[in-house]
Amino acid sequence: MSTHRGEFNSKLGFILATAGSAVGLGNIWGFPFQVGSGGGAIFVLIYLAFCFILCYPIMVTEVAIGRKTSRNPVGAFNALGFRKWSFIGKLGIVSGFLILSFYNVLAAWSLGYFIEMLQGNFEVGQKFTQFTSNVPLIAVYSVIFMSATAFIVSGGIKSGIERTAKLLMPSLVIIILFLVGYAFTLPNAMQGIEFYLMPDFSKLNLQVVYSALGQAFFSLSLGMGALITYGSYFSRKEDIISSVAYITLADAGIAFAAGLMMFPFVFSQGLAPNGGSGLIFVTLPGVFASLGPMLGVFIGALFFLLLSFAALTSTVSLLEVPVAYVIDEYKLERKKAAWLVAGAIFLVSIPSILANGASEFFTSFVHYFGHDNPKSFMAMVVDVANSSLLPLGGCLISFFTAYIWKKENLNQELRIGNETFEGSFIEKYIGVAVCYLCPFILGVLFILTVLDLYFGIKIIT
Ligand code: TRP
């Protein structure tokens, strides 16, 4: 069964591919802009706490469920003998579809910016809306990006996903470290660092907490079964506990480094850090322009190339989930499945392509209760998927593991490949987190988020 489905070559291959899934636009685009809007260092603090205290145990659980069953997220629940609970996997597939449909648009922008930077077109930052509302252009980049993703996924686990991650992940780390070093040499860099690292507790509120939670889930690719799927290709000779620890560290580390790079950039330009989701697209071209034509083109192009690489290893994991589902459950051939699903997701992403200036209808698509401004179709999909479905998925997965599948079965899987796990502190901690902390905290935050975000009802502020 497992040779037929494919398997990662090695522990390192699994770690790099999964870190490749985790490290993406979420880290380099999403994290800095959320830190900027969420009051700086206080967001960073809460984010890191969520990553290690709540997300790490859930990630371990997802990988364990995947490896135990060697199935996609829907099949996994069936294989454990709990057909009724496979709705969690179905919810995950829907989330993955939604996420990829907007992620693909952001990835298309990154790719487009790479081309703009190569041409030395630094004005694109001021003409951001003009850029995003150029539908034919964005659609072309988007098709290119989706095709690259489908191509890699159709290559399978070892020669497609693992090989791409082994090449792209180290390149990404090198480029980002170089840019961090460069950012520190800029004037006012220290002001940026202060904003980023000195917490101001007066900025703490519920919105900061749930944004940090959604961001942590999104960044770690949690809550929709992506890691059940990747875990299903992980060898039963290897250790889940340490592998997942490396992945969490790598992901949080790269997000942290992206912040170290971004805030000196922003402050050196005398710009405000709370520019919202356009932060990197609007402000960075100006930073690159100030470097002069040669260096500006070089660093600017390098940066957006990096962003596109990071996005690619993530879109691959997003596509892999529904593709694995179609292969396992409908016995479709991998190549066919990959192109078919990619095509379907591209269709779903069309309203998001139109939602950034091109069509008034999709740009001002909904008005949530209790909020002043309308939201675009794409922003709505982001809210539904990231702030709502992912934490809900995490809550359901931990609840299922704790009370339906049972902790003892989880521990049994985690002992495989790790002789010191039994009776260890980490075993106890994961038990407490999965049984009590995760279902409870995630459940409460999910309810508070939905009430606040969509209905404007604030139970606590
Ligand atoms: N983690 C990726 C990022 O930070 C995005 C991503 C890939 C993702 N696969 C996922 C998010 C699965 C949620 C679920 O950019």
Coordinates of all heavy atoms in Angstrom, one line a residue, residues 20-28 95-96 99 103 215 217-227 251 310-311 313-319 321 386 390, ligand 1:
G20 N 8.6 23.1 3.8 CA 8.3 23.8 2.6 C 6.8 24.2 2.5 O 6.4 25.3 2.1
S21 N 6.0 23.3 3.0 CA 4.6 23.6 3.0 C 4.3 24.7 4.0 O 3.5 25.6 3.7 CB 3.8 22.3 3.5 OG 2.5 22.7 3.9
A22 N 4.9 24.6 5.2 CA 4.7 25.6 6.2 C 5.2 27.0 5.8 O 4.5 28.0 6.0 CB 5.3 25.1 7.5
V23 N 6.4 27.0 5.4 CA 7.0 28.3 5.1 C 6.5 28.8 3.7 O 6.7 28.1 2.7 CB 8.6 28.2 5.0 CG1 9.2 29.5 4.6 CG2 9.1 27.7 6.3
G24 N 5.9 29.9 3.7 CA 5.3 30.4 2.5 C 4.9 31.9 2.6 O 5.5 32.6 3.4
L25 N 4.0 32.3 1.8 CA 3.5 33.7 1.9 C 3.1 34.0 3.3 O 3.2 35.2 3.7 CB 2.4 33.9 0.9 CG 2.7 33.7 -0.6 CD1 1.5 33.7 -1.4 CD2 3.6 34.8 -1.0
G26 N 2.6 33.0 4.0 CA 2.2 33.3 5.4 C 3.3 33.8 6.2 O 3.1 34.7 7.0
N27 N 4.5 33.3 6.0 CA 5.6 33.8 6.8 C 6.1 35.2 6.3 O 6.5 36.0 7.1 CB 6.8 32.8 6.7 CG 6.4 31.4 7.1 OD1 5.5 30.8 6.5 ND2 7.0 30.9 8.1
I28 N 6.3 35.3 5.0 CA 7.1 36.4 4.5 C 6.1 37.6 4.2 O 6.5 38.7 4.3 CB 7.9 36.0 3.3 CG1 8.9 34.9 3.8 CG2 8.6 37.1 2.7 CD1 9.5 34.1 2.7
S95 N -11.5 23.6 3.1 CA -10.6 24.7 3.5 C -9.4 24.8 2.5 O -9.0 25.9 2.1 CB -10.0 24.5 4.9 OG -11.0 24.1 5.8
G96 N -8.9 23.7 2.1 CA -7.7 23.7 1.2 C -8.1 24.3 -0.1 O -7.3 25.1 -0.7
I99 N -8.4 28.0 0.5 CA -7.1 28.7 0.7 C -6.3 28.8 -0.6 O -5.8 29.8 -1.0 CB -6.3 27.9 1.8 CG1 -7.0 28.1 3.1 CG2 -4.9 28.4 1.8 CD1 -6.3 27.2 4.2
Y103 N -4.7 32.0 -2.3 CA -3.3 31.9 -2.2 C -2.6 32.0 -3.6 O -1.6 32.6 -3.8 CB -2.9 30.5 -1.6 CG -1.5 30.5 -0.9 CD1 -1.4 30.8 0.4 CD2 -0.4 30.2 -1.6 CE1 -0.2 30.7 1.0 CE2 0.8 30.1 -1.0 CZ 0.9 30.4 0.3 OH 2.2 30.3 0.9
Q215 N -3.1 33.2 12.3 CA -1.8 33.3 11.6 C -0.9 32.0 11.9 O -0.3 31.5 11.1 CB -1.1 34.6 12.0 CG 0.3 34.7 11.4 CD 0.4 34.7 9.9 OE1 -0.6 35.1 9.2 NE2 1.5 34.3 9.3
F217 N -1.9 29.0 12.8 CA -2.4 27.8 12.1 C -2.1 27.9 10.6 O -1.7 26.9 10.0 CB -4.0 27.8 12.3 CG -4.4 26.9 13.4 CD1 -4.3 27.3 14.7 CD2 -4.8 25.6 13.1 CE1 -4.6 26.5 15.7 CE2 -5.1 24.7 14.2 CZ -5.0 25.2 15.5
F218 N -2.3 29.1 10.0 CA -2.1 29.2 8.6 C -0.6 28.9 8.3 O -0.3 28.2 7.4 CB -2.5 30.6 8.2 CG -2.3 30.8 6.7 CD1 -3.3 30.3 5.8 CD2 -1.3 31.5 6.2 CE1 -3.1 30.5 4.4 CE2 -1.1 31.7 4.8 CZ -2.1 31.2 3.9
S219 N 0.2 29.6 9.1 CA 1.7 29.5 8.8 C 2.2 28.1 9.0 O 3.1 27.6 8.2 CB 2.4 30.4 9.8 OG 3.8 30.4 9.4
L220 N 1.6 27.3 9.9 CA 2.1 26.0 10.1 C 1.3 25.0 9.3 O 1.5 23.8 9.4 CB 2.0 25.6 11.6 CG 3.0 26.3 12.5 CD1 2.6 26.2 14.0 CD2 4.4 25.8 12.3
S221 N 0.5 25.4 8.4 CA -0.3 24.6 7.5 C -1.2 23.6 8.3 O -1.4 22.5 7.9 CB 0.5 23.7 6.6 OG 1.4 24.5 5.8
L222 N -1.7 24.1 9.4 CA -2.5 23.2 10.3 C -4.0 23.3 10.1 O -4.5 24.3 9.6 CB -2.2 23.6 11.8 CG -0.9 23.1 12.4 CD1 -1.0 23.5 13.9 CD2 -0.8 21.6 12.3
G223 N -4.7 22.3 10.6 CA -6.1 22.4 10.8 C -6.9 22.0 9.6 O -8.2 22.1 9.6
M224 N -6.3 21.6 8.5 CA -7.1 21.1 7.3 C -6.6 19.8 6.8 O -7.0 19.4 5.7 CB -7.1 22.2 6.2 CG -5.7 22.5 5.7 SD -5.7 23.1 4.0 CE -5.6 21.6 3.1
G225 N -5.7 19.1 7.5 CA -5.3 17.8 7.1 C -4.2 17.8 6.1 O -3.8 16.7 5.6
A226 N -3.5 18.9 5.8 CA -2.4 18.9 5.0 C -1.3 18.1 5.6 O -0.6 17.3 4.9 CB -1.8 20.3 4.7
L227 N -1.2 18.1 6.9 CA -0.1 17.4 7.6 C -0.6 15.9 7.8 O 0.3 15.1 8.0 CB 0.3 18.1 8.9 CG 0.8 19.4 8.5 CD1 1.1 20.2 9.8 CD2 2.1 19.3 7.7
D251 N 9.7 27.0 10.8 CA 8.6 27.9 10.3 C 8.6 29.2 11.1 O 8.6 30.3 10.6 CB 7.2 27.2 10.4 CG 6.2 28.0 9.8 OD1 6.2 28.2 8.5 OD2 5.3 28.5 10.5
A310 N 8.9 30.4 -2.1 CA 8.2 30.0 -0.8 C 6.8 29.6 -1.1 O 6.3 28.7 -0.5 CB 8.3 31.2 0.2
A311 N 6.1 30.4 -1.9 CA 4.7 30.1 -2.2 C 4.6 28.8 -2.9 O 3.6 28.1 -2.7 CB 4.1 31.3 -3.1
T313 N 6.3 25.9 -2.8 CA 6.3 24.7 -2.0 C 5.0 24.6 -1.1 O 4.7 23.5 -0.6 CB 7.5 24.6 -1.1 OG1 7.7 25.9 -0.4 CG2 8.8 24.3 -1.9
S314 N 4.4 25.8 -0.9 CA 3.1 25.7 -0.1 C 1.9 25.4 -1.0 O 1.1 24.6 -0.6 CB 2.9 27.1 0.6 OG 3.9 27.4 1.4
T315 N 1.9 26.0 -2.2 CA 0.7 25.6 -3.1 C 0.8 24.1 -3.4 O -0.3 23.5 -3.5 CB 0.7 26.4 -4.4 OG1 2.0 26.3 -5.0 CG2 0.4 27.9 -4.1
V316 N 2.0 23.6 -3.5 CA 2.1 22.1 -3.7 C 1.4 21.4 -2.6 O 0.7 20.4 -2.9 CB 3.6 21.8 -3.8 CG1 3.8 20.3 -3.6 CG2 4.2 22.2 -5.1
S317 N 1.6 21.8 -1.4 CA 1.0 21.0 -0.3 C -0.5 21.2 -0.2 O -1.3 20.3 0.1 CB 1.6 21.4 1.1 OG 1.1 22.6 1.6
L318 N -0.9 22.4 -0.6 CA -2.4 22.7 -0.7 C -3.1 21.8 -1.7 O -4.2 21.3 -1.6 CB -2.6 24.2 -0.9 CG -2.4 25.1 0.3 CD1 -2.2 26.5 -0.1 CD2 -3.6 24.9 1.3
L319 N -2.4 21.7 -2.9 CA -3.0 20.9 -4.0 C -2.9 19.4 -3.6 O -3.8 18.7 -4.0 CB -2.3 21.2 -5.3 CG -2.8 20.5 -6.5 CD1 -4.3 20.9 -6.8 CD2 -2.0 20.8 -7.8
V321 N -3.5 17.8 -1.0 CA -4.5 17.3 -0.1 C -5.7 16.8 -0.9 O -6.1 15.6 -0.9 CB -4.9 18.3 0.9 CG1 -6.1 17.8 1.8 CG2 -3.8 18.6 1.8
N386 N -9.0 31.2 7.0 CA -7.9 31.3 8.0 C -8.4 31.5 9.4 O -7.9 30.9 10.3 CB -7.0 32.4 7.7 CG -6.3 32.2 6.4 OD1 -6.6 31.3 5.6 ND2 -5.3 33.1 6.1
L390 N -9.7 27.0 9.9 CA -8.5 26.3 10.4 C -8.5 26.1 11.9 O -8.3 25.0 12.3 CB -7.2 27.1 9.9 CG -7.0 27.1 8.4 CD1 -5.7 27.9 8.2 CD2 -6.9 25.7 7.8
Ligands
TRP1 N1 1.6 27.5 5.5 C1 1.7 28.2 4.2 C2 2.1 29.6 4.4 O1 2.5 30.0 5.5 C3 0.3 28.1 3.6 C4 -0.2 26.7 3.5 C5 0.2 25.7 2.9 C6 -1.3 26.2 4.3 N2 -0.5 24.6 3.1 C7 -1.5 24.9 4.0 C8 -2.2 26.9 5.2 C9 -2.4 24.1 4.7 C10 -3.1 26.1 5.8 C11 -3.3 24.8 5.6 O2 2.2 30.3 3.5

